[in-house]
Amino acid sequence: MAENNDKTVFVVREKVEKDGKTYSNYYIYGSKRGRDFKIGLLPPDSGGYIALDIVFDQEDKLPLVVKPYEIRDEKTRKVTRGNTYAVVSKDKATGETLEAQVKLARKSDKDLLDMLMK
């Protein structure tokens, strides 16, 4: 889990009503240097909204899980490093762990998350 001064970073699900249907948006709320901000998150593809709904189930807030990765190009020997992000929950009835990937909505959201996690 992502830690920020012993504080877990949480993904918040906000439900929105539009044209008689309920949609979910996913955010991380943060503050730096006295300024509050909201980081937008999306599933990796349109089918990911179903996976996120299953993982969140009745919850509206889950911890963000950061998974570092490293890819080495054998030809150039260049190493690319980065992170993938997910939300994880545990099914209370079965104990099964459920996970769904998320991605940052914009480049500026990556910048804000980097600031928040320092």
Side-chain angles (χ1 to χ4, degrees):
M1 279 179 247
E3 301 270 319
N4 181 25
N5 298 331
D6 299 327
K7 190 172 82 172
T8 301
V9 174
F10 286 97
V11 176
V12 177
R13 174 175 64 175
E14 293 181 359
K15 294 182 180 180
V16 178
E17 296 283 331
K18 184 175 179 182
D19 300 327
K21 292 185 180 182
T22 303
Y23 298 93
S24 296
N25 294 318
Y26 301 90
Y27 302 103
I28 295 170
Y29 288 90
S31 180
K32 199 67 158 181
R33 291 188 170 175
R35 293 186 182 177
D36 295 333
F37 53 84
K38 180 164 78 170
I39 299 168
L41 298 170
L42 301 169
D45 55 49
S46 62
Y49 283 103
I50 295 169
L52 283 168
D53 282 342
I54 291 169
V55 171
F56 271 86
D57 192 35
Q58 300 300 312
E59 301 293 325
D60 286 324
K61 185 168 128 176
L62 291 173
L64 178 71
V65 176
V66 180
K67 297 179 180 182
Y69 69 85
E70 184 175 291
I71 300 171
R72 182 179 310 270
D73 184 322
E74 296 301 320
K75 204 174 203 180
T76 64
R77 299 189 184 264
K78 181 180 176 186
V79 177
T80 303
R81 292 180 179 89
N83 294 313
T84 61
Y85 306 98
V87 289
V88 176
S89 69
K90 200 167 262 236
D91 187 291
K92 293 175 184 166
T94 66
E96 179 182 17
T97 299
L98 303 171
E99 179 177 322
Q101 286 190 349
V102 291
K103 67 179 184 178
L104 297 162
R106 297 170 294 275
K107 167 68 173 104
S108 59
D109 290 324
K110 181 184 181 320
D111 295 339
L112 290 169
L113 183 59
D114 288 345
M115 286 182 223
L116 181 64
M117 295 178 69
K118 286 185 180 178

